[in-house]
Amino acid sequence: MATTGTTTTTANAYLTTPTKTPSGEKSTSRKRHHHQSMDPSSARSASEFKTRFEAYNRLQAAAVAFGEKLPIPEIVAIGGQSDGKSSLLEALLGFRFNVREVEMGTRRPLILQMVHDPTATEPRCRFQEEDSEEYGSPIVSSSAIADTIKSRTESLLRKTRTAVSSKPIVMRAEYAHCPNLTIVDTPGFILKSKKGEPDNTPDEILSMVKSLASPPHRILLFLQQSSVEWCSSLWLDSIREIDPALKRTIIVVSKFDNRLKEFNDRWEVDRYFGASGYLGENTQPFFVALPKDRSTVPNEEFRRQISQVDAEVLHYLRDSVKGGFDEEKYKSYIGFGCLRDYLESELQKKYKEATPATLALLEQRYCEVTAELDRMETKIQATSNVAHLRRSGMLHAASICNHLGAVLDGAADPAPEQWGKTTDEEKSESGIGAWPGVTADVKPPNATLRLYGGAAFERVVHEFRCATYSVECPAVSREKVANILLAHAGRGGNRGVTEAAAEIARASARSWLAPLLDTACDRLACVLGNLFDIAVERNRHHPPVCGKKSGDMDGYVGYHAALRHSYNCFIKDLTEQCKQVVRYHLDSVTSPYSQVCYEDFLGSFNSGVNSLHRFNQASAGSFCLELSDGGRPALRKEIMTDQENIPPEKDEITPGKLAEAREARECQMTVPETPSPEQPCDGNYPVKKELGHFIEVGARKRHSRMTGNNKNLDHLKGQHGGGLLFGTGDAGSRSGSTYSEICSSAAHHFARIREILVERSVTSTLNSGFLTPCRERLMVALGLDLFAVSDEKFMDMFVAPGAIDALENERLSLQKRQKILHSCLNEFKNIARSL
C-alpha cells in the first residue's frame, strides 16, 4: 500500500490498544497513552471505531453464514509457506496457540476477528458454527484452539474430497492485549505438493488466494522473508497480478533479524529499506522480527519477548551500523509495534470510508430479504387456500406448455450447446441402439450437432427414412417361391408371377419394416420427453407470456413431481397411439386387397431403374441440409442429384441404390433350371425327380383344370420358355428364369411398398401423432389429469412429504437473515448519524 513518512503521526493518532513496550521507551509510551486517555476527542474516536468494528464483525459473521457478498473491509494475509504469517498472527493476538503445528494456513482460510476487550485478562476464543451466524462456547486452552482448527479442516476436506477448500473458518478472539483487527489468513503458497496430495494442489492454493484477494475492498498483507532479494521473489509477481500498482498492498519483510548482521554502513541500510527500484517510489515495506523461541511461555512473557526483539533491532541499527540509519524516514516502518499500529489505523480508516456504501447496500439487501420472506409467507398460507393453489398451478402448467410449444417451433434458448444432444447421445440416453435389421451405420445430416425440440424431432424422422431406405427385400428360398407361385398358378388368371412376387414383398415388408416403425416412435418419444426440463429452464428465465404472471410454484415438490409424471404419461400415450396408427398403415399397404403394388406396375417395371432412382433420391428431401462439420460435400451431392446427365462420384451409393444393385446381381445369377434333354419343355410332362423335388404339371387328374387355365399357362410359357419349371440343383440355367424374375419383381414390389409407406403415410403420421397433440392438446390433458379432481386429491400434491417442511425451513432461514440484517442496519444507521 502506498505509504509516506507521516505514518508515525497517523499511527499514533489512531493508537487505541495498550501494549508492552521496550524498557527504554516505557516512559515515553506511558506519557503518550496517558495523554490519549485524557484527550476527549481521542477517546471519542476510539469509541466510534470500536462501535464500527463490532458492527462490521457481526455483519461479516452473517455474510459468511448466509453466503452474502458484502464489501466488508478486511486484511488478507498472503505469503509463502514458512514466511512467518502464523507467527505474525500470534503476535497480533498477544498469545500463542500452536497454529503452526496444524498447518492452518495451508488448507483452509481462517477469518480471525480480534476484539480489544480490556476486561478480558485471559483470551476468549469462539468459533462460528458451520453454516450459521451463531458462535460456540468460549475456548481458553491454546491446544484446544489448535485442535478445533485441525478437526474442522480435516472434516470439511473429507466431505468435499479435496486437498484445500475456500470455505473459511471464523474465529473471534477477545483479549485485553490484542488490537481491533480482522485478518483473513490464507493458505500459504507452495511449490510442490506433499506426499499423498494431488499434484495440482499448488495451483489450487494459488487460484484460491487470488480469488480471496481480488475484491477491491480488501487490504493485502504480503509477507516475504528478509533472506529473499526482491529480484528473486517467487510470489511478488502473483501479488502484482492482483494489485498491479500495489495501491492496496502492505508489504512486510519478515524475519528481519536474520539480515541485520549484513549491514555495516548507513548507505547499505538505507538502500535496503528504500527498495524503490523494485517496489516503486510510493511503496514502503515494513521490517519485522519476532521471537524465535517456540517453547511454551506465559502470555505476558511472550508479549515481553516481542517488545524486546523490537528494541534489539533498533539498538543494532543505531549502535552497530556506522552512521546509523535515516530514522526520520524509516523508523516508523521498523518493528512489530509499528506494523500493528498501522494495520489498526488503516482498517479504521477503511471502515469509516466504507460505512455509507455499506449502509446503502444493507438497506437494499434488507428490502430484498423482506420481500422474499413475504412471498414465502404467502406461499405457506396458500397451502391451505385450494383456489389460490389451483390458479397458480394452472398458470404454471400453461406456461410450461407454452415454452414446450416454443421449443418445438424452433426456439434456440436455453443454449443448445448445454441442453441439446447429438444423435449418439440420444441413442445412449434412450437405451435404443441401432435400428433393427439395419447393418449399415445410419448417420443423418447434423448428427454431431446438439439439437433439441423440433430440430431433434426432424433429425430422428430423417434418420428413420435413411434407415428404412437402407433395408432391401431379403432373399427368399426357392421352396417359398415354389409354394407361393404354384398356388397362384392354380387359381387362374394371368398374374401368377406378379401375385407371387407381391406376396413375397408384402411378407418381407411386414417383418422388416414393423420394427423400424416401433423404433422410430420410441426415439421420438425420448426426444419429446427431454423437452420437459428444457421448458422448465425457459420458464425460470423468461418473462411471463402475454403479460400474464406465471404461477409461483417454487418449493412445491409434490406438484412438480405430479406435473412431470402427467407429461410423461401423455407422451407415453401418444407413443402407443402412433405405433398403432403406423402399424395400421403398414397393414393397409401390405394387405392382399391393396392395389399399391400394382399401380402403374408395368410402367414402373419397364423403367424400374429410373423410377427406383427417383423416389429413393427424393427420400432425403425433408432434412438433407448438412450443418455440422464436413457438411459441404453432402450439400454438393444434393445439388448434383438435381441436375441431369451428371454421373455419380466414384463409390457413391444413394439411398435405394442398394436395391438396384441387388436386382442387377440377381438378374445375372445362374439358376439351375435346365430340364432333361430327353423331355420337351412344355407343361405336359413331369420333371425328373433327381433331387427329390418335382411339380406334376401334366397329370391326368388335373388335365382338365390345367386346360381350363390354359391362358395362364400360355402366358407363362410365352414368358419362360413354355414351363413353370426351375430346379434346385447346381446346374446352369437361363438368366431370365422364373425364380430370378420373381425375386426381381418382389424387390420392385418391396421398394414400392416402402416408398408408399414412408412418403405418403408414416412421415405425416409421426408429425400429426406427436407434434400436433403437443401443441394443441397438452394443456387440456395436463389440466384434466392434475386439476379435474376433488380438492382432497388435489391437495395431496401439496402435503407430500417434504413439501411443507422445505417451505418452513426456508422461511426460518429467511427470518434469521432478516433479523441479522435488520440489527446490522440499525447499527450502521447509528454509525452514519455519528460520522
Side-chain angles (χ1 to χ4, degrees):
M1 177 172 293
T3 56
T4 62
T6 61
T7 306
T8 306
T9 305
T10 305
N12 290 338
Y14 287 108
L15 184 61
T16 60
T17 305
T19 56
K20 295 289 287 184
T21 56
S23 57
E25 299 181 358
K26 277 185 179 181
S27 59
T28 305
S29 178
R30 281 185 186 140
K31 290 179 182 179
R32 184 178 68 233
H33 288 301
H34 178 72
H35 174 71
Q36 287 182 348
S37 64
M38 297 300 293
D39 186 357
S41 62
S42 178
R44 185 170 60 254
S45 176
S47 177
E48 291 173 355
F49 173 53
K50 186 173 182 179
T51 302
R52 282 194 297 271
F53 183 78
E54 288 289 342
Y56 272 109
N57 275 353
R58 280 193 289 273
L59 184 59
Q60 185 181 53
V64 172
F66 298 121
E68 294 279 1
K69 299 297 183 181
L70 300 176
I72 303 172
E74 296 163 328
I75 298 174
V76 181
I78 302 173
Q81 203 169 43
S82 302
D83 277 348
K85 287 194 291 88
S86 300
S87 297
L88 180 62
L89 288 180
E90 290 181 335
L92 289 170
L93 283 169
F95 66 94
R96 282 177 173 164
F97 56 99
N98 298 324
V99 64
R100 296 193 304 179
E101 302 300 325
V102 298
E103 296 182 345
M104 173 190 66
T106 61
R107 294 298 173 264
R108 189 177 174 186
L110 175 76
I111 298 179
L112 191 57
Q113 298 174 338
M114 307 179 199
V115 180
H116 173 66
D117 185 356
T119 65
T121 56
E122 293 295 330
R124 296 191 301 265
C125 297
R126 293 184 297 162
F127 287 90
Q128 183 179 345
E129 301 294 339
E130 300 281 7
D131 303 318
S132 172
E133 77 282 4
E134 302 294 336
Y135 286 84
S137 302
I139 300 177
V140 178
S141 170
S142 59
S143 60
I145 296 172
D147 291 341
T148 301
I149 295 173
K150 182 176 181 180
S151 62
R152 287 199 175 194
T153 301
E154 292 177 349
S155 176
L156 180 64
L157 296 183
R158 281 196 303 267
K159 183 178 180 181
T160 58
R161 297 182 179 180
T162 56
V164 294
S165 174
S166 60
K167 186 176 182 180
I169 298 173
V170 180
M171 186 179 97
R172 178 183 176 90
E174 301 169 352
Y175 194 30
H177 302 283
C178 73
N180 288 309
L181 283 178
T182 296
I183 294 185
V184 181
D185 184 30
T186 62
F189 298 130
I190 57 175
L191 293 175
K192 188 177 180 181
S193 303
K194 291 198 312 182
K195 185 177 181 180
E197 290 184 349
D199 294 337
N200 64 339
T201 299
D203 295 332
E204 288 189 4
I205 291 176
L206 181 61
S207 176
M208 178 171 57
V209 172
K210 286 183 177 180
S211 176
L212 291 170
S214 294
H217 60 272
R218 287 181 168 169
I219 303 169
L220 309 186
L221 182 65
F222 173 57
L223 277 75
Q224 180 172 279
Q225 295 187 44
S226 62
S227 58
V228 179
E229 300 294 339
W230 293 115
C231 59
S232 304
S233 175
L234 295 174
W235 311 116
L236 185 59
D237 290 340
S238 299
I239 300 301
R240 290 187 187 276
E241 292 178 10
I242 304 170
D243 183 21
L246 302 178
K247 290 183 178 181
R248 56 187 180 93
T249 301
I250 301 172
I251 297 179
V252 177
V253 177
S254 61
K255 304 180 182 180
F256 178 59
D257 51 338
N258 294 337
R259 191 71 182 260
L260 281 177
K261 294 181 180 180
E262 298 181 10
F263 302 128
N264 295 316
D265 296 324
R266 175 169 178 163
W267 68 269
E268 294 176 326
V269 178
D270 291 346
R271 185 179 64 175
Y272 179 76
F273 284 161
S276 57
Y278 298 98
L279 303 180
E281 296 295 335
N282 297 324
T283 303
Q284 177 60 54
F286 284 83
F287 302 88
V288 175
L290 293 171
K292 290 184 171 60
D293 184 13
R294 297 301 303 175
S295 61
T296 303
V297 295
N299 294 335
E300 186 176 355
E301 174 63 19
F302 174 57
R303 294 190 297 273
R304 191 198 65 79
Q305 291 177 358
I306 295 174
S307 299
Q308 182 179 354
V309 171
D310 280 354
E312 290 174 353
V313 169
L314 285 175
H315 183 273
Y316 184 89
L317 291 172
R318 288 168 176 165
D319 299 339
S320 300
V321 175
K322 186 182 300 183
F325 70 103
D326 190 344
E327 293 196 35
E328 182 180 358
K329 186 175 182 179
Y330 298 118
K331 181 178 181 297
S332 57
Y333 298 101
I334 299 173
F336 167 77
C338 293
L339 174 64
R340 180 201 58 203
D341 296 343
Y342 180 77
L343 290 177
E344 190 171 17
S345 66
E346 194 67 20
L347 190 61
Q348 180 179 357
K349 184 169 62 176
K350 292 295 183 181
Y351 280 161
K352 187 174 182 178
E353 293 173 354
T355 299
T358 304
L359 176 60
L361 184 60
L362 276 174
E363 289 180 337
Q364 176 187 344
R365 291 297 300 129
Y366 177 75
C367 292
E368 292 173 353
V369 170
T370 301
E372 192 174 352
L373 182 60
D374 291 340
R375 287 194 298 269
M376 185 59 58
E377 294 284 359
T378 302
K379 188 178 297 184
I380 293 176
Q381 292 175 5
T383 56
S384 59
N385 188 339
V386 179
H388 176 81
L389 286 177
R390 283 184 179 275
R391 180 179 180 277
S392 298
M394 288 179 181
L395 289 175
H396 181 82
S399 179
I400 294 294
C401 292
N402 288 334
H403 288 300
L404 272 165
V407 174
L408 288 176
D409 290 339
D413 61 297
E417 297 82 0
Q418 178 182 356
W419 294 88
K421 292 179 175 60
T422 64
T423 295
D424 291 338
E425 289 173 344
E426 286 178 359
K427 291 181 178 180
S428 176
E429 293 186 13
S430 64
I432 303 172
W435 295 89
V438 177
T439 57
D441 185 18
V442 179
K443 286 289 185 183
N446 308 305
T448 59
L449 295 184
R450 295 184 177 276
L451 305 179
Y452 58 63
F457 187 95
E458 290 300 324
R459 183 173 63 184
V460 173
V461 171
H462 186 71
E463 186 181 354
F464 160 74
R465 295 160 65 93
C466 294
T468 305
Y469 279 110
S470 66
V471 175
E472 305 175 38
C473 183
V476 185
S477 67
R478 299 178 184 276
E479 287 80 0
K480 289 184 180 179
V481 173
N483 278 274
I484 297 172
L485 176 62
L486 294 184
H488 283 288
R491 298 177 185 175
N494 58 358
R495 296 176 63 181
V497 173
T498 302
E499 290 289 353
E503 180 60 32
I504 293 171
R506 286 193 291 265
S508 298
R510 284 191 294 268
S511 62
W512 287 88
L513 299 184
L516 295 178
L517 296 175
D518 289 345
T519 301
C521 292
D522 291 334
R523 285 281 305 279
L524 293 175
C526 292
V527 170
L528 295 180
N530 292 332
L531 290 188
F532 187 85
D533 289 328
I534 298 175
V536 171
E537 181 68 14
R538 276 177 59 88
N539 184 67
R540 187 178 293 118
H541 294 93
H542 277 247
V545 181
C546 301
K548 296 180 180 179
K549 185 178 180 181
S550 172
D552 184 9
M553 304 302 290
D554 292 343
Y556 295 124
V557 180
Y559 169 79
H560 290 294
L563 181 61
R564 183 184 294 270
H565 176 72
S566 181
Y567 176 77
N568 291 338
C569 290
F570 178 77
I571 298 300
K572 184 178 180 181
D573 291 342
L574 289 185
T575 305
E576 295 301 322
Q577 294 171 14
C578 279
K579 284 184 179 181
Q580 294 177 7
V581 174
V582 295
R583 280 298 189 100
Y584 168 78
H585 287 303
L586 177 62
D587 293 340
S588 298
V589 79
T590 57
S591 170
Y593 304 101
S594 174
Q595 296 299 313
V596 169
C597 295
Y598 311 114
E599 292 179 2
D600 302 326
F601 172 69
L602 293 178
S604 65
F605 181 77
N606 293 332
S607 59
V609 173
N610 291 332
S611 62
L612 280 173
H613 181 74
R614 282 197 302 272
F615 72 72
N616 282 313
Q617 286 297 319
S619 66
S622 66
F623 198 65
C624 62
L625 181 60
E626 172 63 81
L627 300 176
S628 58
D629 293 341
R632 195 172 298 274
L635 184 61
R636 185 180 68 251
K637 294 178 183 179
E638 177 192 8
I639 296 174
M640 291 182 64
T641 55
D642 291 337
Q643 302 177 10
E644 296 182 359
N645 303 323
I646 296 179
E649 296 182 3
K650 185 177 180 181
D651 299 331
E652 179 181 349
I653 299 179
T654 58
K657 281 290 186 178
L658 297 175
E660 276 188 47
R662 181 176 181 85
E663 176 194 358
R665 290 196 304 270
E666 290 179 341
C667 290
Q668 296 174 3
M669 292 173 57
T670 57
V671 182
E673 194 185 9
T674 306
S676 173
E678 290 85 5
Q679 296 178 348
C681 294
D682 55 32
N684 298 324
Y685 295 93
V687 177
K688 191 173 182 181
K689 299 192 292 182
E690 293 178 351
L691 297 177
H693 299 281
F694 73 94
I695 305 174
E696 190 177 30
V697 180
R700 288 179 176 269
K701 59 184 178 181
R702 298 189 58 191
H703 179 72
S704 59
R705 184 177 179 184
M706 298 296 289
T707 302
N709 296 335
N710 57 6
K711 292 183 179 181
N712 182 36
L713 294 178
D714 291 341
H715 173 72
L716 296 178
K717 288 177 183 179
Q719 285 186 335
H720 311 302
L724 297 173
L725 309 176
F726 53 90
T728 57
D730 55 359
S733 67
R734 298 179 307 279
S735 62
S737 66
T738 305
Y739 175 75
S740 60
E741 183 174 344
I742 289 177
C743 289
S744 176
S745 181
H748 281 282
H749 285 315
F750 181 87
R752 181 64 174 166
I753 292 172
R754 180 180 59 188
E755 178 193 15
I756 297 299
L757 188 67
V758 174
E759 304 300 334
R760 299 185 186 178
S761 304
V762 173
T763 304
S764 60
T765 298
L766 293 176
N767 280 274
S768 62
F770 279 110
L771 299 184
T772 302
C774 284
R775 293 189 180 103
E776 299 177 358
R777 290 174 19 219
L778 177 59
M779 183 58 210
V780 176
L782 297 181
L784 291 174
D785 195 14
L786 297 178
F787 309 112
V789 294
S790 65
D791 289 347
E792 183 179 359
K793 186 174 181 180
F794 176 77
M795 290 302 294
D796 287 343
M797 293 184 290
F798 300 94
V799 295
I804 303 300
D805 292 342
L807 295 176
E808 290 288 351
N809 291 336
E810 188 173 353
R811 180 175 65 175
L812 290 175
S813 177
L814 287 173
Q815 287 175 341
K816 288 182 179 180
R817 184 177 302 187
Q818 184 195 42
K819 181 179 179 181
I820 293 294
L821 290 175
H822 185 262
S823 175
C824 292
L825 179 60
N826 288 336
E827 288 181 336
F828 276 90
K829 283 182 177 179
N830 294 330
I831 292 172
R833 283 192 290 265
S834 65
L835 287 176

